[in-house]
């Protein structure tokens, strides 16, 4: 039965890796390759760990230990949650425990007798991986998004936590307190992994968009703008607000700014959206809100209502003014005025 599950999980895993690799350009690189590493480490574990070696009975290919899976999964969640595009080189240090773990495995072959120093190092390393697992669970429960892998990670992580505890108990000579045998652990893990691979396969084949963060395809990828012109247009747009104060015109449109600055409006949209990470309305409204605050602080404007001042700086209605102000400042104009008092 266990052998059959191993074969099924192995075939499904290879299929998933093939599909992910084929569509690799669709996904953000860092999370893709970390998931890739996670899945490959699972496949290696299925192939040759402990007494469940798929090809050579009762042989432990210690290079295929499950600790590599733990590290890759930890880093996968770390980057999935942070949404960082680029892998930080210092994060390679998280693989140091894996290297040390490999060294202890080699030392146990070279030094057949029990060695206290090696056993202490093993305990410390097991604790490190246990911390990784706890951090994974923390990441899962603190992320408000419903991550597809969550439903599989929770039982896998709990299983690995118990496995770490088991290993520590064995190392310190308390084997009789173990929660389960290696055979049971592998059976449970393989069942979960088989379902995980099946789920990913199903999502990939049904064009599921939540497997991994997708690469955003820019609608300006064929733009003729060069770096020099982009910087010039950014300067012109900022000056049109800070010096010319075009935002005071309540009916200001992108065409008006285009005519004033002699910049094609499609280039204005491109510079704002792609290079200033905003849009036209948010861009001008930010200046209107700041101008409102400046005028509100002046004593000579005390006779004006909030809406009166808002109208002077380019807002056309009370509802839009209040909504925009709260969006930018986090509180309503009325609350803001009270805080000034």
């Amino acid at each position: 039965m266990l052998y059959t599950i191993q074969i099924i999980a192995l075939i499904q895993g290879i299929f998933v890796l093939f599909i992910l690799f084929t569509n690799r350009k669709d996904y953000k690189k860092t999370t893709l390759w970390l998931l890739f590493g996670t899945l490959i480490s699972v496949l290696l574990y299925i192939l040759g760990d402990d007494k469940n070696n798929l090809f050579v009975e009762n042989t432990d290919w210690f290079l295929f230990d499950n600790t590599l899976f733990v590290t890759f999964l930890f880093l996968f969640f770390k980057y999935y949650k942070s949404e960082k595009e680029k892998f930080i080189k210092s994060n390679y240090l998280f693989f140091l425990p894996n290297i040390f773990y490999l060294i202890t495995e080699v030392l146990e072959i070279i030094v057949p007798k029990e060695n206290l120093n090696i056993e202490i190092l093993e305990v410390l390393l097991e604790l490190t991986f246990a911390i990784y697992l706890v951090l994974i669970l923390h990441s899962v429960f603190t992320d408000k998004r419903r991550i597809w892998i969550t439903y599989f990670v929770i039982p896998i992580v709990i299983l690995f936590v118990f496995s770490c505890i088991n290993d520590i108990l064995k190392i310190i000579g308390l084997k009789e307190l173990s929660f389960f045998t290696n055979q049971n652990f592998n059976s449970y893990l393989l069942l979960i992994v088989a379902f995980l691979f099946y789920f990913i396969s199903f999502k990939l084949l049904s064009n599921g968009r939540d497997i991994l963060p997708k690469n955003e395809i820019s609608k300006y990828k064929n733009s003729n703008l060069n770096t020099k012109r982009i910087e010039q247009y950014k300067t012109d747009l900022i000056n049109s607000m800070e010096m010319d104060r075009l935002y005071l015109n309540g009916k200001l449109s992108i065409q008006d700014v285009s005519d004033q600055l002699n910049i094609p409006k499609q280039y204005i949209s491109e510079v704002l959206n792609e290079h200033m990470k905003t849009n036209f309305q948010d861009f001008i409204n930010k200046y209107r809100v700041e101008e409102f605050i400046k005028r509100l602080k002046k004593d000579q404007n005390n006779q004006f209502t909030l809406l009166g001042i808002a109208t002077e700086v380019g807002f056309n209605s009370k509802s839009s003014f209040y909504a925009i102000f709260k969006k930018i400042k986090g509180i309503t104009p009325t609350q803001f005025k009270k805080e000034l008092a």
Side-chain angles (χ1 to χ4, degrees), residues 151-187:
Y151 305 106
F152 300 95
V153 165
I154 292 174
I156 289 175
V157 169
I158 292 173
L159 202 56
F160 269 93
V161 167
F162 282 123
S163 176
C164 284
I165 295 172
N166 268 7
D167 290 341
I168 292 170
L169 290 173
K170 290 175 185 177
I171 291 168
I172 62 178
L174 297 175
K175 186 177 180 179
E176 65 277 3
L177 298 179
S178 298
F179 294 96
F180 44 65
T181 64
N182 285 339
Q183 185 76 15
N184 289 336
F185 170 78
N186 287 313
S187 299

Side-chain angles (χ1 to χ4, degrees), residues 224-256:
N224 294 320
L225 284 181
N226 56 41
T227 303
K228 184 178 179 180
R229 187 169 290 184
I230 289 168
E231 292 304 316
Q232 182 59 56
Y233 287 170
K234 284 169 67 175
T235 301
D236 291 343
L237 284 167
I238 292 170
N239 286 341
S240 72
M241 297 296 140
E242 294 183 354
M243 299 175 66
D244 300 331
R245 301 200 297 175
L246 297 184
Y247 58 83
L248 294 177
N249 176 5
K251 296 182 179 180
L252 185 70
S253 68
I254 193 168
Q255 185 62 58
D256 295 330

Side-chain angles (χ1 to χ4, degrees), residues 39-159:
L39 298 179
I40 288 175
S41 59
V42 169
L43 290 179
L44 291 176
Y45 178 76
I46 292 171
L47 279 170
D49 181 77
D50 220 354
K51 294 183 180 180
N52 297 294
N53 190 299
L54 196 57
F55 300 107
V56 185
E57 191 176 352
N58 294 327
T59 301
D60 181 7
W61 293 348
F62 55 83
L63 287 172
F64 298 165
D65 193 86
N66 57 45
T67 55
L68 191 60
F69 163 79
V70 174
T71 304
F72 269 115
L73 188 64
F74 165 69
L75 288 172
F76 170 77
F77 266 92
K78 177 181 173 67
Y79 279 86
Y80 195 108
K81 188 174 182 179
S82 68
E83 299 182 346
K84 289 182 179 178
E85 299 273 347
K86 192 174 180 181
F87 189 81
I88 301 170
K89 290 183 178 179
S90 60
N91 285 168
Y92 283 116
L93 294 173
F94 286 111
F95 288 100
L96 278 178
N98 298 96
I99 296 172
F100 287 126
Y101 201 86
L102 175 60
I103 292 171
T104 62
E105 294 280 296
V106 173
L107 288 174
E108 285 182 344
I109 296 173
I110 298 172
V111 185
K113 293 183 180 179
E114 290 187 4
N115 185 289
L116 182 60
N117 291 328
I118 295 175
E119 290 182 0
I120 291 173
L121 180 58
E122 283 184 337
V123 170
L124 292 175
L125 291 172
E126 290 286 351
L127 287 173
T128 301
F129 294 121
I131 291 170
Y132 284 0
L133 292 166
V134 171
L135 290 174
I136 291 170
L137 285 178
H138 178 266
S139 180
V140 167
F141 289 119
T142 56
D143 197 322
K144 294 180 180 179
R145 297 170 298 172
R146 291 187 175 182
I147 303 174
W148 59 272
I149 202 173
T150 298
Y151 305 106
F152 300 95
V153 165
I154 292 174
I156 289 175
V157 169
I158 292 173
L159 202 56

Side-chain angles (χ1 to χ4, degrees), residues 289-290 293 324-332 336:
V289 167
E290 293 304 323
I293 291 172
I324 291 166
F325 190 96
K326 188 170 184 179
K327 177 184 175 182
I328 294 174
K329 293 298 179 181
I331 57 176
T332 65
F336 187 86

